[in-house]
Amino acid sequence: MEYTLLILLLPLGSFLVLGLLGNRLSHRTAGLVGTAVLAVVAVLSYTAACHYFTLPRTAAGTLPVLMPYNMEWLPFTPTLHIDLGILLDPISVMMLVVISTVSLMVHLYSFGYMKGERGFQRYYAYLSLFTMSMLGLVVATNIFQMYLFWELVGVSSYLLIGFYYTRPAAVAASKKAFIVTRFADLGFLIGILVYGYYAGTYTFTPDQSALIKAGGMIPLALGLMFIGGAGKSAMFPLHIWLPDAMEGPTPVSALIHAATMVVAGVYLVARLFPLFIDYAPQVLHLVAYIAAFTSLYAAAVACVQNDIKRVLAFSTISQIGFMLVALGVCTSADPHAGGLGYMAGMFHLFTHAMFKALLFLGAGCIIHAVGSNEMTAMGQLRKKLPLTHLTFLIACLAISGIPPFSGFFSKDEILAACFAFSPVMGWFMAAVAGMTAFYMFRLYYGIFWGKPSENSSKHLHEARTMTLPLLVLAAVTCVAGFIPFGDFISADGTPYTIHLERQTVVTSILIALVAIALATQMYARPAQPVADRLQRRLGGLWRAAYHRFYLDEVYQFVTHRIIFGCISRPIAWFDRHVVDGFFNFLAWSTRAGSDSIRTLQSGQVQQYAFVFLLGTLALILLLLL
């Protein structure tokens, strides 16, 4: 499978061509080049998946781990070195399919959405760089190679979020995303260095004797590496960058939220899952608790937002939390004993990528038509935008966990894993799932039903290049749940037959239906007295949730008042007045001393003779005395 190297080289070549020659190409040519390259990458990814998942299994019943390409890049010791290569195993091959599919849909969609935009060629160059970075991350053969591509993902996301660089809000959002994730990645880097020192390798499969000898340092290293994953996947309290990332073009939001940047943290935990489950299960469970709280927090904020992209942004944070909870509640690598969550988390990553991309691209069609992100500018659009309405409804049903759509199957497995871990965790996540159904149908009714707006009476249209990706993603959302996912991906690599537990199924469906019915009662009609009355009664809580519980203000206070005001400012004063003053004194004293003695080197022979005679007389007098 050496051809898989082209999966990385082709988008890299597209980035270089469009980046260097983009201004010489027309918009149409640049878009065709970028899209054609991604189409080839998608075909290669599908071919690799078909080839890999049909390989004969090993004697242990697992699919083989392949390295079609690997080279030693930086040697340190005979055992410690950094390699560059391609690793193919079930989760990396699955991620190739996810990334290439969503990226191709975004490339096609952008033909219509970005038409006429200044910097169109630059935009497609950034898309290619972003896709290449994420593909390189998931096929990395070692943790250091993953970190290199991890940082490339951060750079390319900075470029895409700040694509509209003339808008101050976009520039601020891109800097915020870059800075927050850089702080998190510092923990990731320290964790990698600790891991490499004690494990003696940067590979994902170190020698067990070295790990046993390292003792508590391996849990520490894994915990530090998760900080980087928490930053990329926007887990509390490092989530603050993601809602502001909506300042980028909507197709970028679909790419970041669906299949690439935000699932990097989930993929990191899944990639290191054998180490977590064997040597740091307590850290893995801590991941579950952090993710569970993040899911609740994000769902609460999403319930009151009016910007449709922000609703979807907080929805992404909540759904990423579901995936990490699923991984964190595992108690063993045996899927039947305690590893169900691993399969469920990966399954939800796959299904969520499709319907979340569908939601964002649908939101882009709506924004493109009405010219606003606010729900107050929408309402009664179901007849104006029929294809967008249908596909958006399918995605809402999927994320709410309504059968037979894909989200039902993956979310039900997550809830089953949570109930198996702890009834408290199971009911907690079931409640968050109910909140998901509520805020998604609040969004759906606010756009397509609800109160009419000025745009409800206007003639609106749907662009064909924008609706085609919606139809493809909607079709995948309808059938993806029936894929025997456990046959290909499980905690220990052996086939796992998915069994829906009747009690969990009934509970989750009932909770979802009740939440949808509540949203229908409150928001489906032009008049919304129940919602208005509830907002008045819960005014303080509503305002707090609308302002994200003031966490951005807390960060502003901590950074500006405490760090800058109480720490940075005194340090700056000490630097200017003490450090600079000391060295300025050295310079002044040296100059003053040189000024006082420089007359001794005047170049006048008479002066030298006079000084010589004075010195001679002084020596004679000294000897005589």
Side-chain angles (χ1 to χ4, degrees):
M1 300 178 70
E2 291 81 2
Y3 63 86
T4 51
L5 182 61
L6 293 174
I7 294 176
L8 298 184
L9 295 181
L10 286 174
L12 176 60
S14 173
F15 164 69
L16 293 175
V17 169
L18 295 178
L20 296 175
L21 304 177
N23 291 334
R24 301 180 183 180
L25 303 176
S26 66
H27 287 195
R28 181 179 177 82
T29 303
L32 286 174
V33 169
T35 306
V37 168
L38 254 295
V40 175
V41 169
V43 170
L44 291 174
S45 299
Y46 301 151
T47 303
C50 293
H51 187 181
Y52 180 80
F53 286 121
T54 55
L55 289 174
R57 291 180 177 266
T58 64
T62 63
L63 287 165
V65 176
L66 305 179
M67 283 193 186
Y69 178 80
N70 193 55
M71 60 169 287
E72 186 177 289
W73 181 39
L74 295 176
F76 298 115
T77 68
T79 57
L80 185 62
H81 48 85
I82 299 176
D83 296 350
L84 293 178
I86 294 177
L87 173 68
L88 299 180
D89 68 348
I91 59 171
S92 64
V93 174
M94 181 269 290
M95 287 300 296
L96 288 180
V97 173
V98 170
I99 295 167
S100 60
T101 301
V102 175
S103 183
L104 177 59
M105 294 299 103
V106 169
H107 276 72
L108 287 171
Y109 181 91
S110 297
F111 257 104
Y113 190 89
M114 300 297 291
K115 184 178 181 180
E117 288 278 2
R118 182 182 178 186
F120 187 89
Q121 302 93 327
R122 174 169 51 91
Y123 170 80
Y124 269 88
Y126 292 166
L127 286 185
S128 296
L129 176 64
F130 194 102
T131 304
M132 185 277 296
S133 303
M134 196 63 203
L135 291 169
L137 188 155
V138 299
V139 298
T141 60
N142 59 84
I143 193 68
F144 222 110
Q145 181 185 344
M146 177 183 282
Y147 180 76
L148 295 177
F149 283 97
W150 186 282
E151 293 304 312
L152 277 175
V153 169
V155 170
S156 48
S157 66
Y158 166 80
L159 296 172
L160 284 169
I161 294 169
F163 174 76
Y164 297 119
Y165 59 87
T166 57
R167 300 179 186 176
V171 174
S174 62
K175 290 193 295 184
K176 187 175 184 179
F178 191 79
I179 292 170
V180 172
T181 53
R182 290 295 71 69
F183 274 110
D185 291 350
L186 176 62
F188 189 14
L189 179 59
I190 296 173
I192 291 173
L193 297 177
V194 172
Y195 172 81
Y197 180 81
Y198 286 96
T201 180
Y202 290 116
T203 64
F204 301 118
T205 54
D207 183 70
Q208 292 187 357
S209 61
L211 297 181
I212 295 172
K213 185 178 179 180
M217 299 308 295
I218 297 302
L220 174 63
L222 293 173
L224 288 169
M225 284 191 272
F226 173 69
I227 294 175
K232 276 287 192 290
S233 291
M235 290 293 100
F236 186 92
L238 300 172
H239 65 282
I240 58 171
W241 67 269
L242 191 56
D244 291 339
M246 298 301 96
E247 294 295 337
T250 301
V252 170
S253 302
L255 193 59
I256 291 176
H257 286 252
T260 51
M261 186 171 179
V262 294
V263 298
V266 181
Y267 182 80
L268 173 67
V269 176
R271 171 56 68 203
L272 300 176
F273 181 79
L275 297 175
F276 272 106
I277 202 67
D278 290 336
Y279 301 98
Q282 67 279 14
V283 177
L284 195 62
H285 300 333
L286 178 62
V287 169
Y289 297 133
I290 294 172
F293 176 79
T294 303
S295 292
L296 175 65
Y297 163 82
V301 175
C303 286
V304 300
Q305 297 298 308
N306 290 322
D307 185 320
I308 64 174
K309 288 178 67 175
R310 291 192 186 275
V311 174
L312 296 178
F314 281 101
S315 170
T316 297
I317 297 173
S318 185
Q319 295 302 302
I320 296 296
F322 267 88
M323 300 172 204
L324 286 171
V325 166
L327 293 170
V329 297
C330 293
T331 55
S332 75
D334 181 1
H336 298 279
L340 169 62
Y342 180 92
M343 184 280 298
M346 293 295 97
F347 194 13
H348 198 58
L349 189 156
F350 178 81
T351 60
H352 174 264
M354 304 304 165
F355 60 69
K356 183 51 65 70
L358 177 56
L359 286 168
F360 267 107
L361 296 183
C365 287
I366 297 160
I367 294 168
H368 189 266
V370 303
S372 174
N373 294 17
E374 297 294 324
M375 277 193 281
T376 53
M378 302 169 193
Q380 304 289 330
L381 296 181
R382 61 188 183 278
K383 294 182 180 179
K384 303 286 184 179
L385 308 171
L387 285 177
T388 304
H389 168 244
L390 175 62
T391 55
F392 202 90
L393 176 59
I394 290 172
C396 288
L397 291 169
I399 197 174
S400 300
I402 301 298
F405 303 102
S406 60
F408 160 74
F409 296 92
S410 57
K411 188 171 288 187
D412 185 78
E413 294 299 313
I414 292 178
L415 294 179
C418 291
F419 276 111
F421 176 75
S422 164
V424 174
M425 180 66 81
W427 285 110
F428 184 91
M429 296 309 296
V432 177
M435 294 174 68
T436 302
F438 173 79
Y439 68 68
M440 286 308 304
F441 272 85
R442 171 182 175 268
L443 177 67
Y444 165 74
Y445 287 123
I447 296 171
F448 298 105
W449 298 70
K451 297 178 180 179
S453 67
E454 295 179 0
N455 292 303
S456 302
S457 58
K458 293 181 180 179
H459 175 70
L460 306 178
H461 68 282
E462 297 172 311
R464 185 177 303 175
T465 54
M466 295 167 65
T467 54
L468 177 60
L470 300 186
L471 295 174
V472 173
L473 292 170
V476 175
T477 299
C478 291
V479 302
F482 298 99
I483 297 174
F485 197 83
D487 291 351
F488 307 113
I489 296 175
S490 66
D492 63 357
T494 59
Y496 175 76
T497 303
I498 297 175
H499 297 287
L500 297 177
E501 297 184 9
R502 180 178 300 178
Q503 184 176 354
T504 305
V505 168
V506 172
T507 300
S508 64
I509 293 177
L510 284 177
I511 291 175
L513 290 176
V514 169
I516 293 172
L518 182 61
T520 304
Q521 175 65 26
M522 294 175 62
Y523 299 105
R525 299 177 179 85
Q528 301 172 355
V530 177
D532 295 338
R533 186 164 58 250
L534 191 63
Q535 180 177 334
R536 287 194 299 270
R537 290 185 178 180
L538 301 176
L541 181 61
W542 187 93
R543 284 191 297 273
Y546 182 79
H547 291 285
R548 315 176 201 178
F549 294 98
Y550 302 104
L551 282 175
D552 283 79
E553 287 77 5
V554 170
Y555 271 102
Q556 287 287 338
F557 177 81
V558 170
T559 54
H560 286 76
R561 296 294 182 86
I562 297 178
I563 297 178
F564 294 164
C566 300
I567 299 175
S568 300
R569 193 168 295 168
I571 291 175
W573 182 91
F574 182 83
D575 179 67
R576 287 194 303 269
H577 294 85
V578 178
V579 177
D580 288 354
F582 174 72
F583 283 99
N584 290 338
F585 170 76
L586 290 179
W588 174 83
S589 59
T590 302
R591 186 176 61 183
S594 65
D595 287 342
S596 63
I597 64 174
R598 68 181 179 179
T599 56
L600 297 176
Q601 294 291 334
S602 63
Q604 296 179 359
V605 177
Q606 299 91 332
Q607 183 181 1
Y608 293 162
F610 177 74
V611 172
F612 177 77
L613 290 174
L614 286 179
T616 302
L617 291 174
L619 288 174
I620 294 173
L621 291 174
L622 180 63
L623 291 173
L624 292 175
L625 295 175

